[in-house]
């Protein structure tokens, strides 16, 4: 996979005396930014993000052209222009409509990089090229080559989100099946994926899974390895079905074989597998260039075939029978918009994303009424039950450990063998509910067993607006065992449970937990580890997707500088107006 790169553009005053005085300073800024980005950010495969610097400083349109030509050959997705002096704005700016843009103007009184910054951002705004402003709060001495913390934070956030945008571009979303049970998010919007994300929608009928299974279009050697691993580490759980509806041991054994093969086949459809070429299946070996996908399942599949829960849970996790590896995003019920949310989370954290129903708001009063326990701590204001039919990534167990022994979710390349085994040990695979899934199969069942900072998110499509993004930072919480058992068993006890308490602000949709639930845009959401709301807001602005709900402080919101031209007092309205004017990134 060819990685996208960040291009760094050192800008300088073309006058002879100024150039001689500042050439080293400006180039040093460029290489300092390069080193900082490359030592702090990584791609989805865990390798360091790569930067490329222009061959010369840029003082006018000729050198700007030379830089653009170099960057066009280096797969540059975003540019960071840097300077410590006055320069000629419209003659030196990046005018490539496909790149994300940021400008760092050095805050020093000897040479007014801030003046250039203001001038060139004005040019960007007037010409219609959104750009991010980077300007340190404190004045630095001319000889100071360090990057202040506030500047570092903005450069890294810009670069992190720009790499996410570039990583999506040119990939595919694979719809395996179509619409599940009339869920609107399952309707794949070709316009949304192509125009906003640069992703090509692909469509594969679910019968392709059966064809490959029947004709043996999978790696038989890997299947034997996967079967032994599954029988060793994926323990079968309790059967919650009525005795007359329970499948026989023979049926269950057959279903295990089926869902293991199904998992491999879905992965191969999405990612390809060179082993298939060796078997004479060249086309199948190529895969679909997928960065994400979804499986319809219900009901045309699950009424007579084993459910996709095992496949979805294992593929979404940071490991399988081949060990630790990058999660493959596969949305339950082919909810394309929740898959997009999961993708955003993975791009920004490098870790697994957990798919869930945003199922039930539990008020403190309701919890006390049914259990006798009055919620306290982070649960004091109530919480939301995140649960889905056994398809959640096993990273969501919270059994990975950091160096202090805290339960966490990690970037996939940091997951250890011990983490993997702990997640598997905390999960049991219960026979699927026959009331829902006549075809049988198994659902992952676990409880998130750690108090972790997480961000719940959801992309929605709204008529008259287009795509919007909802963000709720909060914490997974722990309930007393007896309380958990009482309220968890009020729904299907064979599914994975996460108790989520959003961080409240006392205002708007975050004045209380009920309001968060009441304003959520769909029945699904996904959560990723950490409080990444501010990164999501920056990413959304790059994609021209307005944020309709969030609990991020105004001081942490970082969008293109020209957004302030659409209003600076009420930021949500300005965001909607700016996104509406600029429209999708790929038109």
């Amino acid at each position: 996979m060819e990685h996208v790169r960040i291009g760094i553009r050192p800008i300088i005053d073309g006058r002879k005396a100024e150039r001689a005085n500042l050439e080293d300073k400006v180039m040093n800024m460029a290489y300092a930014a390069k080193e900082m980005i490359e030592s702090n950010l990584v791609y989805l495969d865990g390798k360091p993000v790569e930067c490329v610097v222009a061959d010369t400083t840029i003082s006018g349109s000729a050198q700007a052209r030379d830089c653009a030509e170099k960057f066009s050959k280096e797969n540059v997705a975003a540019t960071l222009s840097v300077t410590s002096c006055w320069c000629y704005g419209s003659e030196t700016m990046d005018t490539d409509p496909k790149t994300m843009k940021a400008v760092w103007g050095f805050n020093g009184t000897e040479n007014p990089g801030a003046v250039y910054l203001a001038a060139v951002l004005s040019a960007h705004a007037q010409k219609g090229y959104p750009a991010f402003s980077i300007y340190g709060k404190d004045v630095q001495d001319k000889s100071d080559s360090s990057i202040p913390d506030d500047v570092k934070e903005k450069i890294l956030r810009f670069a992190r989100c720009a790499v996410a945008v570039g990583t999506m571009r040119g990939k595919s979303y694979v719809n395996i099946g179509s619409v599940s049970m009339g869920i609107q998010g399952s309707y794949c919007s070709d316009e949304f994926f192509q125009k906003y994300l640069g992703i090509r929608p692909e469509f594969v009928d679910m019968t392709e899974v059966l064809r490959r299974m029947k004709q043996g279009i999978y790696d038989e050697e890997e299947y034997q390895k996967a079967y032994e691993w599954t029988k060793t580490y994926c323990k079968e759980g309790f059967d919650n079905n009525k005795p007359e509806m329970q499948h026989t041991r023979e049926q269950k054994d057959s279903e295990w074989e089926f869902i293991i093969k199904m998992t491999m086949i879905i992965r191969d459809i999405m990612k390809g597998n060179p082993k298939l070429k060796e078997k004479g299946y060249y086309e199948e070996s190529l895969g679909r260039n997928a960065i994400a996908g979804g499986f319809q399942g219900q009901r045309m599949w699950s009424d007579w075939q084993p459910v996709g829960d095992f496949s979805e849970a294992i593929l979404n996790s940071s490991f399988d029978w081949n060990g630790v590896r990058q999660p493959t995003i596969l949305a339950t019920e082919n909810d394309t918009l929740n898959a997009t949310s999961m993708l955003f989370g993975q791009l920004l954290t490098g870790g697994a994303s957990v798919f869930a129903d945003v199922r039930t708001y539990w008020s403190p009063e309701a919890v006390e009424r049914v259990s006798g326990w009055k919620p306290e701590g982070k649960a004091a204001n109530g919480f939301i039950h995140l649960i889905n039919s056994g398809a959640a990534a096993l990273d969501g167990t919270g059994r990975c450990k950091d160096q202090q022994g805290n339960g966490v979710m990690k970037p996939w390349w940091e997951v250890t063998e011990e983490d993997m085994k702990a997640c598997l040990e905390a999960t049991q695979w219960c026979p699927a509910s026959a009331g829902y899934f006549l075809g049988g199969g198994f659902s992952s069942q676990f409880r998130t067993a750690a108090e972790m900072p997480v961000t719940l998110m959801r992309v929605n499509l709204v008529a008259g607006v287009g795509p919007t993004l909802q963000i709720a930072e909060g914490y997974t919480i722990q309930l007393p065992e007896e309380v958990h058992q009482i309220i968890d068993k009020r729904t299907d006890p064979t599914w994975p449970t996460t108790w989520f308490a959003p961080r409240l602000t006392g205002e708007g949709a975050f004045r209380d937990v009920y309001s968060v639930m009441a304003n959520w845009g769909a029945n699904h959401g996904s959560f990723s580890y950490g409080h990444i709301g501010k990164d999501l807001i920056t990413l959304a602005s790059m994609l021209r997707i307005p944020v309709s709900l969030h609990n991020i402080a105004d001081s942490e919101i970082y969008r293109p500088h020209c957004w302030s031209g659409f209003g600076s007092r009420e930021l949500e309205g300005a965001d909607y107006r700016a996104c509406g004017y600029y429209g999708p990134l790929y038109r």
Side-chain angles (χ1 to χ4, degrees):
M1 179 181 71
E2 184 183 11
H3 293 128
V4 298
R5 296 179 174 88
I6 304 294
I8 302 179
R9 308 172 73 252
I11 312 296
I12 200 167
D13 190 327
R15 288 171 285 197
K16 184 176 180 179
E18 291 300 296
R19 178 182 288 277
N21 185 41
L22 294 165
E23 186 91 22
D24 289 343
K25 171 67 176 180
V26 172
M27 290 302 290
N28 286 340
M29 286 179 66
Y31 280 100
K34 178 180 187 293
E35 181 181 359
M36 183 191 65
I37 292 171
E38 292 182 340
S39 61
N40 282 276
L41 301 182
V42 296
Y43 297 110
L44 272 183
D45 61 7
K47 296 178 181 178
V49 165
E50 300 168 3
C51 297
V52 56
V53 179
D55 292 333
T56 67
T57 53
I58 300 168
S59 62
S61 56
Q63 290 165 323
R65 176 208 59 209
D66 293 342
C67 175
E69 288 179 354
K70 176 180 181 177
F71 286 1
S72 69
K73 300 171 185 177
E74 297 283 352
N75 200 24
V76 167
T79 62
L80 171 65
S81 299
V82 304
T83 191
S84 64
C85 61
W86 165 252
C87 315
Y88 303 164
S90 60
E91 297 176 11
T92 58
M93 64 188 285
D94 172 17
T95 58
D96 183 344
K98 293 183 179 179
T99 58
M100 303 296 105
K101 300 167 180 57
V103 183
W104 172 25
F106 183 81
N107 186 0
T109 56
E110 295 97 334
N111 300 102
V115 179
Y116 170 76
L117 175 65
V120 80
L121 288 174
S122 173
H124 280 86
Q126 190 167 337
K127 291 174 177 288
Y129 299 117
F132 289 81
S133 173
I134 301 172
Y135 177 59
K137 185 176 73 171
D138 297 320
V139 172
Q140 293 179 261
D141 297 331
K142 181 180 177 180
S143 60
D144 186 355
S145 60
S146 66
I147 302 179
D149 288 343
D150 59 335
V151 171
K152 178 179 179 180
E153 181 181 357
K154 287 184 176 179
I155 291 176
L156 291 179
R157 192 184 308 175
F158 166 77
R160 182 183 300 113
C161 295
V163 167
V165 172
T167 300
M168 287 187 283
R169 185 183 301 163
K171 303 300 193 306
S172 298
Y173 177 90
V174 178
N175 300 267
I176 301 178
S178 183
V179 178
S180 176
M181 302 183 295
I183 295 173
Q184 194 65 33
S186 299
Y187 287 83
C188 182
S189 170
D190 188 83
E191 180 176 9
F192 167 65
F193 276 100
Q194 290 197 330
K195 291 189 175 182
Y196 283 89
L197 307 180
I199 290 176
R200 179 202 308 267
E202 297 263 347
F203 298 86
V204 177
D205 195 281
M206 290 185 292
T207 56
E208 175 65 2
V209 176
L210 298 178
R211 181 183 79 90
R212 294 193 184 202
M213 199 172 297
K214 183 176 181 179
Q215 296 182 2
I217 308 175
Y218 56 88
D219 183 349
E220 180 64 37
E221 183 178 341
E222 184 185 6
Y223 166 69
Q224 293 300 329
K225 177 181 179 181
Y227 181 83
E228 294 301 323
W229 179 89
T230 301
K231 298 306 289 183
T232 301
Y233 294 107
C234 298
K235 56 187 177 185
E236 190 172 312
F238 62 93
D239 193 334
N240 197 51
N241 294 300
K242 296 178 180 178
E244 64 273 16
M245 300 184 73
Q246 292 181 8
H247 288 193
T248 65
R249 183 69 260 164
E250 183 180 10
Q251 286 176 306
K252 291 177 180 177
D253 290 343
S254 176
E255 288 160 17
W256 274 114
E257 296 173 4
F258 185 99
I259 61 178
I260 295 168
K261 293 176 184 177
M262 177 179 169
T263 304
M264 294 171 52
I265 288 169
I266 290 175
R267 180 206 60 197
D268 291 351
I269 289 172
M270 295 175 66
K271 302 288 189 178
N273 188 341
K275 290 288 187 180
L276 302 185
K277 183 180 178 180
E278 297 174 11
K279 297 184 69 172
Y281 297 101
Y282 172 72
E283 182 182 9
E284 290 85 346
S285 74
L286 300 175
R288 299 274 178 162
N289 191 36
I291 195 169
F295 183 71
Q296 175 192 331
Q298 298 186 66
R299 287 182 44 221
M300 291 73 179
W301 181 272
S302 55
D303 276 1
W304 71 295
Q305 297 289 349
V307 292
D309 290 3
F310 179 82
S311 300
E312 292 158 13
I314 291 296
L315 289 173
N316 281 317
S317 298
S318 297
F319 49 80
D320 61 14
W321 43 85
N322 291 316
V324 174
R325 49 94 178 115
Q326 181 182 325
T328 297
I329 292 173
L330 185 67
T332 302
E333 295 157 356
N334 193 31
D335 186 338
T336 64
L337 299 180
N338 217 44
T340 304
S341 307
M342 296 168 75
L343 176 58
F344 287 175
Q346 186 187 76
L347 287 166
L348 294 176
T349 68
S353 298
V354 180
F355 187 110
D357 278 0
V358 183
R359 198 171 187 93
T360 310
Y361 160 64
W362 277 96
S363 68
E365 294 78 14
V367 173
E368 188 172 11
R369 177 180 62 81
V370 302
S371 72
W373 176 70
K374 184 176 182 178
E376 56 190 31
K378 287 185 170 63
N381 296 304
F383 46 84
I384 295 172
H385 194 178
L386 302 179
I387 185 173
N388 193 259
S389 55
L394 271 60
D395 302 65
T397 59
R399 299 303 176 105
C400 294
K401 299 295 183 182
D402 63 15
Q403 292 183 343
Q404 291 73 43
N406 301 310
V408 297
M409 293 169 60
K410 297 179 177 179
W412 70 265
W413 55 85
E414 294 181 5
V415 174
T416 66
E417 185 82 11
E418 292 73 24
D419 292 330
M420 178 179 74
K421 290 180 179 178
C423 291
L424 289 162
E425 181 62 29
T427 306
Q428 57 180 326
W429 299 87
C430 297
S433 173
Y436 289 110
F437 310 117
L438 300 177
F442 298 88
S443 297
S444 64
Q445 193 269 354
F446 61 77
R447 179 188 0 167
T448 302
E451 184 178 287
M452 303 186 294
V454 297
T455 302
L456 182 69
M457 66 198 86
R458 170 73 189 187
V459 173
N460 298 296
L461 288 177
V462 180
V465 178
T468 64
L469 177 63
Q470 295 185 312
I471 302 165
E473 291 186 346
Y475 294 86
T476 63
I477 59 172
Q478 300 298 292
L479 304 182
E481 179 62 27
E482 64 276 12
V483 178
H484 164 79
Q485 293 295 338
I486 289 170
I487 63 177
D488 191 50
K489 288 181 178 178
R490 293 172 72 97
T491 186
D492 195 313
T494 68
W495 296 347
T497 278
T498 301
W499 306 111
F500 172 68
R503 188 182 68 246
L504 302 179
T505 65
E507 298 177 342
F510 288 89
R511 62 182 176 272
D512 52 37
V513 179
Y514 174 82
S515 298
V516 178
M517 180 79 177
N519 282 279
W520 203 250
N523 54 311
H524 293 152
S526 74
F527 68 84
S528 296
Y529 184 77
H531 288 162
I532 61 170
K534 57 188 179 182
D535 285 345
L536 286 165
I537 287 175
T538 298
L539 174 61
S541 69
M542 290 180 174
L543 298 170
R544 318 291 191 256
I545 298 175
V547 178
S548 62
L549 178 149
H550 71 81
N551 54 349
I552 312 304
D554 285 355
S555 61
E556 293 188 311
I557 293 176
Y558 187 42
R559 292 180 172 124
H561 184 265
C562 59
W563 258 235
S564 63
F566 293 85
S568 59
R569 187 169 185 177
E570 201 278 297
L571 299 185
E572 185 174 294
D575 185 32
Y576 270 79
R577 289 187 290 274
C579 290
Y581 171 74
Y582 287 110
L585 189 57
Y586 309 100
R587 287 188 280 182

